[in-house]
């Protein structure tokens, strides 16, 4: 390294350390969001330049002369040596979903600091390492999937656990994302009509790409994006039209049913009609909006109004119950570490790499960018006045149904907000009310609208708000479609072991049966989430976080096992350390979700509390009607959580046993790495 | 100007807009001289296959 470079990196290190100390020690009224951006960029740069480079060179021992599977197995379809920027684009579009937007918004109830630190440290030490290492191991095994690698390297138990874990996490994920969309559309004709319009728009794009001008992906997408923007505008007209607004003004439950029917249709319809075109649109919207948000934040340099740390670290938070440790680590999964990424990093992406050296940029760099999206979501949530943030995100079950009660309760926590202020805000955003709009999407949209409004024109607030809602909804629905379909394929695969006919992906009765089972699975959790007076997020999001972190722990176990088996015991800590942390937080969180006496944390405690109230007749009639279902669900969730922890420990113990056998020179499964072939490229 | 054309090429590649052209190039390189190979797929046929194969497996994350 030259002297100038040393000075430059030294300067970056000092700037980064200074920015972190500012955001950590600052205790004034507000702090500028640029400090968060500066801290994040410095940390990413240093981690990428030094830690990631060290792992690539010394631990994984990247070999630039070795031919990748894309080169050796080039078939012009799934194995294609591809330019690294193109692979980066595909990889990032695949890993970045709604998760890094919702998680930080919810975790902002603890203040901006805990979530921000976890997003930064978690990504650099955990998530980015997991993605890069998984990508590397899969690349060295012809792009095998995580489940296959677990089976090949650790054993049948690990492999099966990865498969079942993936299926369950999909069910929970889709349910919670469905709930986020339902809460954003509830009694909002504008949002509902705009989101509904995305379905025919996707179909138009699909027909255009398939039949009118086959394969002209960019033309079709440009038409689609223009139509989407128009649908945001048209939603405003619907909202102002007395007849039409009634058609789109609904309670949560009918909206949930509509999403369930839609999910089933999307899983059964051919991909070209709905799923593929929707995915193109959501990718373009996602990249465009994220870029726009970054530019807007840098232009207006907003102040953060949320305190660094709130009193809710004690576990009494209104958005979800539970103390800072372990719940901030469960709430923010995507953005810090997400097990789901291991499924993308093994499978599609490794089949495109043209040279081994690209894995640092794609695996590690891709996750850093996702982490940066999470930081921006945190900023969008915390630039709101905390009183407003809590008024939007606190469920009626916690603060009360009436606006006046909610305001009084929030004021009693020390956060100023008035009914008039909330009414004005709802009017500005073109909504009837913004109280108790849980799930994170509406508050993120208000935050984004105020940032965009300040940067590009304030009179358009309502348009920006509904643009943000549409942006979130379109890729939540993409995840919902794609997830249901993947769930269907996985189920057909499993059922194929018992009955060959059921395993055929084009056999209609099997398609209908498996799609129904998957949709019924997530539809059930969505239904319960909607009828739950505490907003459903309180139950579903931690369950999703635990499931996602469990999947990450499985991926890290596989990676640690492979490292040890390759004779790299002294480096096994690079995945072993994040693994130990994930096992600690998921086990603690699961323990609390099962055994805590706090009715907002413990599933059994909540079930018992509700049973006692039901028995004593203390519940009003509407709540008493749904109480038995809620009680059953709390029990189910408790057992599901237990199942997740057991699966996690089985995989970890299985991995440790394999490592122990290897270290004591006993027989272990041979490595499944493909032999060296020199590159010709 | 060259930069702009390059950028456009990258965008086409990223979105799969030029997938058929790349397929044809691949075909000509590997099967072009082969008299017994079947004729290349038409744009429409190719796109159908490409889209169907693209949508198997986990494609999108949370």
């Amino acid at each position: 390294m030259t002297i100038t470079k040393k000075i430059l990196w030294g300067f970056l290190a000092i700037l980064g350390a200074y920015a972190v100390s500012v955001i950590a020690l600052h205790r004034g009224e507000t702090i500028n969001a640029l400090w968060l951006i500066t801290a994040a960029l410095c940390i990413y740069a240093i981690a990428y330049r030094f830690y990631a480079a060290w792992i690539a060179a010394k631990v994984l021992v990247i070999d630039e002369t070795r031919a990748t599977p894309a080169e050796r197995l080039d078939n012009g379809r799934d194995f294609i040596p591809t330019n690294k920027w193109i692979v980066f684009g595909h990889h990032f579009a695949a890993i970045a979903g709604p998760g890094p937007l919702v998680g930080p918004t919810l975790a902002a109830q603890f203040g901006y600091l805990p979530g921000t630190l976890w997003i930064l440290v978690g990504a650099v030490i955990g998530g980015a390492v997991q993605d890069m290492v998984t990508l590397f191991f899969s690349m060295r095994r012809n792009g095998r999937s995580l489940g296959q690698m677990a089976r090949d390297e650790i054993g049948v138990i690990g492999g099966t656990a990865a498969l079942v874990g993936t299926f369950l996490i999909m069910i929970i994920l889709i349910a919670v994302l469905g709930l986020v969309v339902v809460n954003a559309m509830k009694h909002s004709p504008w949002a509902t009509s705009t989101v509904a319009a995305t379905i025919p728009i996707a179909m138009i794009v699909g027909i255009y790409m398939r039949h009118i001008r086959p394969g002209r992906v960019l033309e079709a997408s440009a038409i689609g994006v223009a139509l989407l923007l128009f649908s945001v505008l048209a939603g405003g007209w619907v909202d102002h039209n007395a007849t039409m607004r009634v058609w789109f003004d609904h309670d949560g439950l009918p909206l949930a049913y509509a999403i369930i029917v839609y999910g089933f249709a999307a899983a059964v319809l051919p991909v070209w009609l709905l799923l593929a075109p929707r995915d193109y649109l959501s990718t373009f919207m996602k990249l465009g909006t994220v870029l726009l948000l970054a530019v807007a934040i840098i232009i207006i340099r907003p102040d953060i109004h949320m305190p660094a740390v709130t009193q809710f670290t004690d576990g009494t938070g209104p958005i979800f119950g539970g103390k800072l440790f372990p719940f901030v680590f469960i709430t923010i999964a995507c953005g810090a570490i997400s097990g789901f990424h291991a499924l993308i990093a093994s499978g599609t992406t490794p089949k495109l790499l043209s040279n081994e050296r690209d894995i640092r940029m794609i695996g590690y760099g891709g996750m850093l960018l996702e982490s940066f999206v999470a930081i921006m979501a945190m900023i969008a949530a915390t630039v709101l006045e905390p009183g407003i943030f809590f008024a939007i995100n606190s469920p009626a079950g916690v603060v009360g149904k009436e606006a006046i009660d909610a305001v009084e309760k929030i004021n009693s926590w020390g956060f100023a907000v008035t009914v008039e202020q909330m009414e004005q805000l709802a009017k500005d955003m073109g909504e009837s009310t913004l109280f108790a709009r849980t799930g994170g999407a509406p508050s993120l949209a208000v935050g984004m609208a105020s940032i965009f409004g300040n940067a590009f024109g304030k009179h358009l607030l309502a348009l920006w708000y509904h643009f943000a809602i549409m942006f979130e909804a379109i890729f939540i629905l993409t995840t919902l479609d794609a997830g249901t379909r993947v769930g269907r394929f996985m189920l057909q695969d499993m059922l194929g072991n018992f009955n060959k006919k059921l395993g055929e992906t084009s056999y209609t009765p099997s398609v209908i049966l498996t799609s129904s089972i998957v949709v019924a699975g997530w539809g059930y959790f969505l239904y319960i989430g909607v009828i739950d007076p505490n907003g459903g997020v309180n139950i579903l999001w931690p369950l999703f976080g635990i499931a996602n972190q469990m999947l990450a722990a499985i991926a890290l176990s596989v990676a640690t096992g492979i490292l040890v088996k390759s004779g790299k015991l002294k480096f096994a800590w690079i995945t072993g350390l994040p693994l130990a942390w994930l096992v600690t937080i998921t086990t603690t969180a699961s323990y609390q979700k099962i055994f805590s006496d706090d009715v907002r944390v413990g599933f059994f405690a909540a079930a018992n509390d509700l049973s006692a109230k039901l028995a004593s007749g203390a519940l009003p009639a509407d709540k008493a009607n749904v109480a038995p279902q809620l009680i059953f669900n709390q029990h189910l969730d408790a057992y599901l959580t237990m199942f997740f922890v057991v699966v996690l420990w089985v995989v970890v113990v299985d991995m440790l046993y394999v490592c122990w056998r290897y270290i004591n020179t006993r027989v272990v499964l041979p490595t499944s790495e493909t032999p060296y072939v020199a590159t010709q490229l | 100007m060259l930069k702009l054309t390059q950028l456009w090429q990258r965008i086409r590649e990223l979105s799969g807009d030029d997938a058929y052209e790349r397929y044809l190039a691949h075909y000509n390189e590997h099967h072009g001289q082969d008299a017994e190979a079947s004729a290349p797929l038409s744009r429409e046929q190719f796109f159908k296959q490409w889209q169907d194969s693209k949508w198997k497996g986990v494609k999108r994350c949370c």
Side-chain angles (χ1 to χ4, degrees), chain A residues 481-522:
Chain A
D481 302 354
T484 307
R485 213 176 175 86
V486 169
R488 186 196 112 193
F489 283 138
M490 291 175 75
L491 200 57
Q492 285 190 305
D493 209 31
M494 286 187 243
L495 290 178
N497 294 327
F498 304 106
N499 179 331
K500 250 209 156 93
K501 201 81 185 141
L502 286 179
E504 284 172 22
T505 49
S506 50
Y507 177 54
T508 313
S510 165
V511 170
I512 305 266
L513 174 74
T514 48
S515 302
S516 311
I517 294 174
V518 174
V519 172
W522 61 256

Side-chain angles (χ1 to χ4, degrees), chain A residues 59 64 69 76 114 134 139 142 152 200 232 253-254 263 280 329 444 446 455 493 522 586-587 613 621 647 664 666:
Chain A
V59 182
E64 294 185 10
T134 308
M139 176 189 67
N142 289 345
D152 295 345
V232 176
L253 220 41
Y280 279 110
F329 307 103
L444 181 66
V446 172
D493 209 31
W522 61 256
T586 34
T587 309
K613 279 185 185 155
V647 169
N664 289 290
R666 300 192 189 197

Side-chain angles (χ1 to χ4, degrees), chain A residues 74-77 83 86 89-90 93-95 97-100 173 209-210 214-218 271-272 275-276 279-280 283 334 338 340-341 344 348 479 486 489 548, chain B residues 8-23 26 29-30 41 43-62:
Chain A
D74 185 0
N75 60 3
R77 284 168 214 266
N83 174 284
I86 305 291
H90 279 298
I95 63 172
L173 168 76
M209 276 201 274
R210 183 81 160 200
R216 312 285 175 180
V217 170
L218 281 177
V271 273
W272 64 266
L275 221 144
D279 191 53
Y280 279 110
T283 306
C334 316
S338 165
F340 228 104
H341 293 187
I344 306 288
T348 322
T479 307
V486 169
F489 283 138
N548 202 359
Chain B
W8 177 241
Q9 192 45 45
R10 287 271 173 273
I11 292 174
R12 290 197 64 204
E13 217 178 309
L14 195 55
S15 61
D17 203 53
D18 67 346
Y20 183 64
E21 281 122 272
R22 277 186 283 146
Y23 160 77
H26 179 91
E29 202 179 308
H30 291 86
L41 300 171
R43 181 184 273 277
E44 197 165 354
Q45 283 168 330
F46 168 78
F47 187 65
K48 266 185 189 153
Q49 270 196 14
W50 180 73
Q51 215 176 25
D52 291 340
S53 71
K54 217 172 128 80
W55 284 98
K56 298 237 162 77
V58 183
K59 283 290 170 194
R60 285 297 173 260
C61 237
C62 28

Side-chain angles (χ1 to χ4, degrees), chain A residues 294-607:
Chain A
V295 170
I297 288 176
I298 289 166
I299 292 178
I300 63 161
R301 302 185 299 277
D303 277 333
I304 286 176
H305 293 95
M306 182 68 77
V309 179
T310 66
Q311 68 267 42
F312 300 129
T313 50
D314 66 359
T316 57
I319 302 176
F320 57 89
K323 291 198 168 108
L324 181 69
F325 177 85
F327 285 99
V328 74
F329 307 103
I330 292 298
T331 308
I332 302 179
C334 316
I337 178 163
S338 165
F340 228 104
H341 293 187
L343 303 180
I344 306 288
S346 64
T348 322
T349 308
K351 294 176 184 161
L352 299 173
L353 295 168
S354 56
N355 192 298
E356 291 204 344
R357 74 173 99 86
D358 298 346
I359 68 150
R360 174 162 69 122
M361 177 182 137
I362 292 153
Y364 202 93
M367 178 64 207
L368 291 185
L369 190 56
E370 161 142 317
S371 170
F372 190 61
V373 173
I375 290 287
M376 288 198 290
M378 178 61 91
I379 292 173
T382 52
V383 294
L384 296 177
E385 289 291 341
I388 291 175
F389 173 84
F390 284 111
I392 298 174
N393 283 302
S394 302
V398 175
V399 291
K401 262 191 183 147
E402 299 304 321
I404 190 91
D405 300 333
V407 162
E408 197 181 327
K409 184 96 185 180
I410 292 163
N411 288 340
S412 77
W413 295 330
F415 301 115
V417 65
T418 62
V419 177
E420 295 73 40
Q421 212 180 350
M422 288 302 291
E423 276 169 358
Q424 184 57 42
L425 187 71
K427 213 172 140 215
D428 289 346
M429 299 295 163
E431 289 286 288
S432 55
T433 177
L434 283 170
F435 277 108
R437 302 296 295 267
T438 58
S443 89
L444 181 66
V446 172
M448 278 169 65
S450 63
I451 290 173
F452 286 147
N454 275 323
F456 311 113
K458 249 194 160 138
H459 51 289
L460 297 172
L461 273 179
L463 269 182
W464 282 120
Y465 174 86
H466 290 94
F467 169 78
I469 292 283
M470 182 273 288
F471 149 78
E472 291 170 80
I474 188 161
F475 63 100
I476 284 183
L477 291 180
T478 307
T479 307
L480 189 139
D481 302 354
T484 307
R485 213 176 175 86
V486 169
R488 186 196 112 193
F489 283 138
M490 291 175 75
L491 200 57
Q492 285 190 305
D493 209 31
M494 286 187 243
L495 290 178
N497 294 327
F498 304 106
N499 179 331
K500 250 209 156 93
K501 201 81 185 141
L502 286 179
E504 284 172 22
T505 49
S506 50
Y507 177 54
T508 313
S510 165
V511 170
I512 305 266
L513 174 74
T514 48
S515 302
S516 311
I517 294 174
V518 174
V519 172
W522 61 256
Y524 164 77
F525 285 104
L526 173 59
Y527 167 78
I528 294 289
V530 171
I531 62 169
D532 189 332
N534 285 325
V537 171
N538 183 46
I539 287 186
L540 279 176
W541 193 263
L543 212 51
F544 160 62
I546 289 172
N548 202 359
Q549 306 293 40
M550 176 201 71
L551 199 55
I554 292 175
L556 287 168
S557 288
V558 172
T560 311
I562 296 179
L563 280 178
V564 172
K565 280 174 63 185
S566 340
K568 290 171 183 165
L569 179 63
K570 66 171 177 173
F571 294 129
W573 59 267
I574 62 152
T575 49
L577 201 68
L579 173 61
W581 179 243
L582 285 188
V583 172
T584 310
I585 54 167
T586 34
T587 309
T588 318
S590 304
Y591 180 84
Q592 293 188 7
K593 290 306 289 182
I594 298 167
F595 297 110
S596 170
D597 294 333
D598 183 343
V599 291
R600 295 190 53 237
V601 178
F603 289 129
F604 285 128

